[in-house]
Amino acid sequence: MTDTKTTPEMPATAASAFLAWTWTAEFPGDLTIDGYPGGLQWLTFTAGILTTLHALAGYGIRGLRWLLPAGNNAPQFLTALGGFATTWFTVIAISVELGGFVNLEPGGWIAAIASLLPLLGALALPQELTGDTKTDLKAYIAKAEKIPAPTPITPWLERALITVITIVGLGVFTYGIDTEYGELFIGYLILVAFTMWALHTAGLLDRISRIVAHNRSFTLAMGFAAAIAFPFTQSDDHYANIGVNILIFGTVALGLNIVVGLAGLLDLGYVAFLGVGAYTAALVSGSEFSTFSGVHFPFWAAALTGAAASLIFGVLIGAPTLRLRGDYLAIVTLGFGEIFRIAVNNMDGVSGPDITNGPNGIAAIPDLNLFGFNLGESHNIGGLTLGRFANYYLLMVLIMAIVVLVYTRAADSRIGRSWIAIREDETAATAMGINGFRVKLIAFALGASLAGLAGTVSAHVTYSVVPTPYQFAGSTPPNSAFLLAAVVLGGMGTVAGPLLGAALLYLIPEKLVFLQDKSLLAFGIALILLMRFRPEGIVANRRRQLEFHETGQLDVPDTTTLTDEPAVTKAGA
Amino acid sequence: MRFGGLTAVRSVDFTVNAGEIVGLIGPNGAGKTTFFNCLTGLYVPTEGTVTYKGTVLPPKPHLVTKAGIARTFQNIRLFANMTVLENVLVGRHTRTKEGLWSALLRGPGFKKAEKASEERAMELLEFIGLAHKRDHLARNLPYGEQRKLEIARALASEPGLLLLDEPTAGMNPQETRATEELVFAIRDKGIAVLLIEHDMRFVFNLCDRVAVLVQGQKLVEGTSDVVQADERVVAAYLGEPFQGEPGEEEAAEVAEAEAAAAAGQTDETDQTDQTDQVDSTREANKNTSAPETGNTPEETADTADSTTTDDVPSTTSTKGEAK
């Protein structure tokens, strides 16, 4: 099946990573050393290895067969494309940043050519010829049509697999968070995207999701174990700070997922509930700038107060507005979200009652102290140092666990079914005896209180609360537009989707500083592309999955079509 | 039921008794579905009430379902992205009580209730013959099975009266016959059935009584023989000789045609009366458009005269008396 001529080039890509690509260390990552890969060269190296593995699996080498269950060539092409895109991105980035191709050492040229060859080789691989050029080309990037049923494996092996996948996932994720400069992060994104695409076309992602479906609670436990393990892998508290912010963002997105993903209520002012929680916690946690500066609740009481305040606001806002449907609800919630920010801005004792200190906000919120464990100080646990943000990160993992539990349990129950029924067809749902208003109000209030809960922690993490972050759209998350984007991008109605979406949407503006003032534009384009090519989001819902398995797809497009492939390459290169 | 100046359904008195299959027929636009929507609370009737087992039902769909009237829709309205089993479980909503807290805490009561619901839903799926497709998405079912599933979903709310809106629309003869048997089986469970249908053979085979709705009013009600023999029904379906006000351009032409055809029209006087009276009551309706006070007993008497209904309660009402 595989063209024998192409195989030698694939390790060549990997090998070229060991050469010097440029003469100066001015390009970040120091790519000047022969014999050892650095920075972006690691990515090229990984891509080369992956391509080689897929090529060998294409030969049918024993022990690698599982990589290509359907025996199709698309994964090989896509990994080669990933390597090509990463390498050429690096080479072009070197040339652009240092001013010309002269800055490339021979190693850089070799890498560029070496990464191009497997791509051409993969293109030469025999495909089923149909006489239709378009379908012929599509075969290189399309998912295998017939994926043979996996041979059943023992439960312990399934669990072992999940463990391995979790560890690999943690490694990949940690690498992404720890990328030190924008170029490396872009290269990382390119490589991860193409690799995931390749795994998808090979049918491996389907197999993984099937295994996960068998061991749902075990996977959840492993996921949390990985989440807890993250701060222990970090030496720098800065990355733990990124972690805790992603968690706050992700938790709020998961709360929004109840409202948007389950009940189908488009809420454009959701960040206000995060704000209510944060402000409430700030007011009652003993800050000297708080109006109630004498009040100092313990954390559990402050968290409950924050959640309760958000709940009350949720009911107050929901009760009059949830009689509206669709776009009207979106407009009203958008309005309420802005009202919250403006109201908080004005309650400074001059233009309104003195509650929130207006634009100055409430500063100097004391650090939490849980059971004598001061979260503001570094602690040494088993030789590993946990800094302040790592402490809050662990607290946030706990909060997220609660939210995930609430989400999964609520979704799989009578009330969750009625939310989905309302989303699917409100008229039919009410005709089936569901009190639409009541059920929607519960979803709205539950979503609000979960956001409030996350807000109470975020107030402590950031030392102070100010009105500015709680707006509809801004260049940094969380704001209502980003929250909604995280849910839609990640995959509505799933647990993993909004978390993944939140991680991506937090990391991209964080890592790509040059993008910051254009990030809204970039996300607009990204969302349009996503809606065109994968409307169900990155992580497909179980319902969508069922659709894939049972009788083929009816209205969900397969994956990307060829038309966007040049676009992706261009964006990467 | 009025929409602005248009009266879609007026003065339809209708009773369904326990264990009965009643058909509701009429030409397109006669107001059959509007009548259903009034019954199930999707529309709030401008005047009149719906009574079930002696209590007046509030015009709220979920309360109507809770009281024991379930329905299907003319254009299938399943929850397309839910599985077959989940669709039926949603139908169980009014007969279960677990709220958010019990869902979050997952006590023994919750598990018991979920299990009971699932068992009941599976029974229903077996009853309609879809048990083997419990995990399929509703959208992926073939058309006929979607119709069946909608009936199962309605049955899950344990109704005393089931309203079927064109259950055989778009079905082939075999599927229609299967549906016929299904409706009989539902009746045998002690559930009264009221159905809208265009397939006359289906209706007359199935129904103990048939009512004909024309232009929002009940024309006739009775056994299939009575209805089939009624020539006003035939006229309503097949049309009747031209009698309305002609358009300006056609006026002369029509006048000529009428003159020519005058001799042939003698035996159609019944219909002439009928149409006139419908027109007149419509006008009357506009005049008495003040809310609450409209539909006075005399007006109903008027209509009752023209449509020759036997029972004359004073309001637009349906008494579904099941069990």
Side-chain angles (χ1 to χ4, degrees):
Chain A
M1 184 172 266
T2 311
D3 186 350
T4 38
K5 280 177 288 181
T6 62
T7 326
E9 285 93 0
M10 310 207 176
T13 316
S16 67
F18 288 86
L19 300 172
W21 286 13
T22 182
W23 58 276
T24 167
E26 265 176 52
F27 188 79
D30 195 2
L31 310 180
T32 58
I33 306 158
D34 277 321
Y36 183 79
L40 280 155
Q41 288 173 329
W42 270 114
L43 297 175
T44 297
F45 176 71
T46 316
I49 296 289
L50 285 173
T51 318
T52 314
L53 284 178
H54 269 108
L56 292 176
Y59 273 126
I61 286 180
R62 196 176 286 270
L64 284 177
R65 277 266 181 72
W66 57 272
L67 261 175
L68 285 174
N72 56 337
N73 291 321
Q76 203 177 322
F77 174 75
L78 286 169
T79 43
L81 191 62
F84 168 76
T86 317
T87 312
W88 280 58
F89 164 73
T90 314
V91 167
I92 291 171
I94 291 172
S95 311
V96 169
E97 279 176 40
L98 301 180
F101 289 109
V102 288
N103 296 297
L104 290 174
E105 287 285 310
W109 292 105
I110 292 171
I113 293 160
S115 66
L116 182 62
L117 289 176
L119 187 68
L120 298 175
L123 272 174
L125 288 175
Q127 301 282 353
E128 282 176 36
L129 292 174
T130 52
D132 178 3
T133 327
K134 207 177 163 192
T135 17
D136 282 350
L137 286 174
K138 212 176 166 183
Y140 288 104
I141 54 163
K143 188 173 151 187
E145 272 168 17
K146 279 184 196 146
I147 299 158
T151 42
I153 51 176
T154 47
W156 66 265
L157 195 59
E158 281 188 345
R159 294 187 171 200
L161 260 178
I162 292 174
T163 314
V164 171
I165 292 167
T166 316
I167 292 169
V168 171
L170 177 66
V172 172
F173 188 72
T174 311
Y175 186 88
I177 287 192
D178 291 358
T179 49
E180 279 158 9
Y181 42 97
E183 291 86 352
L184 188 60
F185 186 70
I186 294 178
Y188 163 82
L189 277 188
I190 294 173
L191 184 62
V192 169
F194 276 107
T195 309
M196 292 310 282
W197 193 3
L199 292 181
H200 169 74
T201 55
L204 284 174
L205 289 190
D206 285 353
R207 290 200 165 179
I208 291 172
S209 61
R210 194 171 291 145
I211 292 174
V212 166
H214 289 171
N215 303 282
R216 200 159 282 282
S217 42
F218 181 76
T219 313
L220 211 60
M222 284 311 293
F224 277 110
I228 291 170
F230 169 76
F232 294 99
T233 64
Q234 301 301 314
S235 49
D236 190 341
D237 210 28
H238 172 64
Y239 295 125
N241 184 17
I242 294 180
V244 70
N245 281 321
I246 290 177
L247 275 189
I248 292 171
F249 186 23
T251 308
V252 182
L254 204 55
L256 180 62
N257 198 16
I258 293 179
V259 181
V260 176
L262 290 182
L265 308 166
L266 187 54
D267 186 348
L268 294 180
Y270 193 68
V271 81
F273 299 122
L274 178 72
V276 170
Y279 264 96
T280 313
L283 285 172
V284 299
S285 288
S287 159
E288 52 188 299
F289 296 97
S290 156
T291 319
F292 319 103
S293 53
V295 186
H296 192 165
F297 283 7
F299 175 66
W300 62 267
L304 285 183
T305 318
S310 283
L311 178 84
I312 292 166
F313 270 84
V315 171
L316 282 182
I317 293 171
T321 57
L322 285 175
R323 295 174 200 282
L324 303 171
R325 286 190 189 189
D327 305 348
Y328 304 102
L329 179 69
I331 293 165
V332 171
T333 51
L334 174 65
F336 272 112
E338 287 298 289
I339 287 171
F340 168 77
R341 183 174 58 86
I342 294 163
V344 163
N345 232 331
N346 285 325
M347 287 197 272
D348 55 356
V350 180
S351 29
D354 185 13
I355 300 175
T356 63
N357 282 341
N360 295 327
I362 301 167
I365 301 166
D367 274 311
L368 289 174
N369 198 327
L370 296 177
F371 311 110
F373 185 92
N374 190 339
L375 271 69
E377 292 166 4
S378 293
H379 293 270
N380 223 322
I381 297 174
L384 293 161
T385 310
L386 284 184
R388 176 178 184 273
F389 288 115
N391 296 331
Y392 279 108
Y393 174 91
L394 291 176
L395 176 65
M396 209 49 224
V397 169
L398 183 72
I399 302 274
M400 195 181 75
I402 294 171
V403 173
V404 168
L405 197 73
V406 167
Y407 180 88
T408 48
R409 290 196 159 183
D412 177 32
S413 72
R414 173 175 173 267
I415 191 98
R417 283 192 297 270
S418 59
W419 286 334
I420 299 168
I422 292 268
R423 183 192 68 196
E424 292 284 315
D425 187 334
E426 189 163 349
T427 308
T430 51
M432 285 305 114
I434 293 169
N435 184 345
F437 175 70
R438 191 187 140 85
V439 165
K440 284 196 281 184
L441 191 61
I442 292 175
F444 208 74
L446 180 65
S449 44
L450 293 181
L453 190 61
T456 55
V457 182
S458 99
H460 287 281
V461 173
T462 53
Y463 299 107
S464 65
V465 285
V466 286
T468 37
Y470 308 110
Q471 54 191 349
F472 170 65
S475 57
T476 49
N479 53 60
S480 294
F482 267 58
L483 282 167
L484 197 65
V487 174
V488 175
L489 185 90
M492 282 195 274
T494 61
V495 175
L499 299 180
L500 183 67
L504 273 178
L505 288 189
Y506 188 85
L507 282 177
I508 291 172
E510 171 79 23
K511 294 288 179 189
L512 307 182
V513 184
F514 67 91
L515 204 68
Q516 219 141 48
D517 49 343
K518 300 180 200 72
S519 59
L520 280 176
L521 175 72
F523 287 136
I525 295 170
L527 272 179
I528 290 171
L529 286 177
L530 190 85
M531 287 303 102
R532 168 64 184 80
F533 295 112
R534 197 173 161 85
E536 70 270 40
I538 298 172
V539 180
N541 187 340
R542 182 177 60 90
R543 297 175 196 290
R544 304 283 198 188
Q545 295 276 351
L546 272 173
E547 219 170 291
F548 283 129
H549 291 308
E550 229 100 50
T551 52
Q553 301 113 31
L554 286 180
D555 61 350
V556 179
D558 192 356
T559 45
T560 17
T561 56
L562 190 70
T563 41
D564 84 319
E565 181 220 312
V568 167
T569 322
K570 236 179 269 167
Chain B
M1 183 71 218
R2 277 197 298 272
F3 299 106
L6 176 81
T7 307
V9 178
R10 55 179 279 107
S11 305
V12 179
D13 292 308
F14 210 75
T15 308
V16 180
N17 299 313
E20 223 182 3
I21 302 177
V22 181
L24 185 62
I25 62 173
N28 289 328
K32 303 181 294 294
T33 299
T34 307
F35 178 62
F36 261 34
N37 286 344
C38 287
L39 289 189
T40 52
L42 284 179
Y43 293 159
V44 181
T46 325
E47 292 146 10
T49 54
V50 180
T51 316
Y52 178 73
K53 285 184 182 174
T55 49
V56 175
L57 294 181
K60 288 263 178 5
H62 63 274
L63 295 179
V64 171
T65 313
K66 197 170 183 186
I69 299 180
R71 70 168 293 175
T72 66
F73 290 88
Q74 184 174 358
N75 42 348
I76 303 172
R77 299 188 85 148
L78 286 170
F79 307 120
N81 290 318
M82 297 175 89
T83 64
V84 168
L85 180 67
E86 283 172 326
N87 265 280
V88 182
L89 284 175
V90 170
R92 299 274 313 152
H93 190 88
T94 51
R95 302 293 169 240
T96 43
K97 286 207 163 49
E98 284 63 45
L100 181 63
W101 285 114
S102 80
L104 296 185
L105 300 175
R106 299 262 149 144
F110 175 83
K111 280 172 192 154
K112 222 166 111 187
E114 283 284 290
K115 200 158 172 271
S117 273
E118 199 178 317
E119 273 167 16
R120 179 84 187 97
M122 284 311 293
E123 270 172 38
L124 281 167
L125 285 179
E126 262 153 44
F127 174 67
I128 59 157
L130 280 179
H132 60 291
K133 290 201 170 175
R134 53 173 277 174
D135 289 328
H136 286 230
L137 287 189
R139 64 157 4 116
N140 291 345
L141 292 184
Y143 182 82
E145 291 182 350
Q146 292 196 350
R147 284 261 177 227
K148 278 188 188 170
L149 178 57
E150 217 190 4
I151 293 174
R153 187 180 67 178
L155 286 176
S157 67
E158 291 169 15
L161 173 65
L162 180 64
L163 309 181
L164 302 176
D165 199 342
E166 297 199 18
T168 71
M171 283 186 173
N172 63 30
Q174 284 88 349
E175 287 172 321
T176 306
R177 213 166 306 131
T179 310
E180 213 172 285
E181 269 150 35
L182 183 62
V183 175
F184 276 130
I186 291 168
R187 198 260 317 265
D188 293 343
K189 284 174 164 238
I191 298 167
V193 180
L194 172 61
L195 54 91
I196 292 177
E197 200 34 83
H198 279 303
D199 184 334
M200 292 304 152
R201 192 174 301 150
F202 178 77
V203 170
F204 291 126
N205 276 348
L206 203 60
C207 298
D208 304 315
R209 270 186 305 130
V210 176
V212 185
L213 212 59
V214 176
Q215 296 200 359
Q217 287 177 312
K218 194 167 73 174
L219 200 62
V220 66
E221 181 185 342
T223 60
S224 49
D225 297 334
V226 173
V227 173
Q228 275 172 309
D230 197 304
E231 54 190 12
R232 288 172 307 171
V233 177
V234 179
Y237 270 95
L238 300 180
E240 45 192 289
F242 185 79
Q243 278 146 8
E245 287 284 312
E248 279 179 339
E249 317 96 296
E250 298 154 298
E253 196 187 333
V254 170
E256 271 177 38
E258 264 183 8
Q265 258 192 9
T266 45
D267 57 342
E268 300 285 353
T269 40
D270 257 1
Q271 277 77 35
T272 324
D273 287 348
Q274 164 64 14
T275 323
D276 288 347
Q277 271 158 356
V278 169
D279 284 347
S280 70
T281 46
R282 242 198 212 155
E283 273 161 30
N285 193 33
K286 267 180 205 161
N287 295 339
T288 57
S289 62
E292 311 294 324
T293 60
N295 204 1
T296 49
E298 37 171 299
E299 205 184 294
T300 328
D302 250 5
T303 338
D305 271 284
S306 69
T307 54
T308 63
T309 31
D310 359 53
D311 51 339
V312 196
S314 61
T315 49
T316 312
S317 74
T318 292
K319 291 161 207 129
E321 282 160 13
K323 283 176 193 168

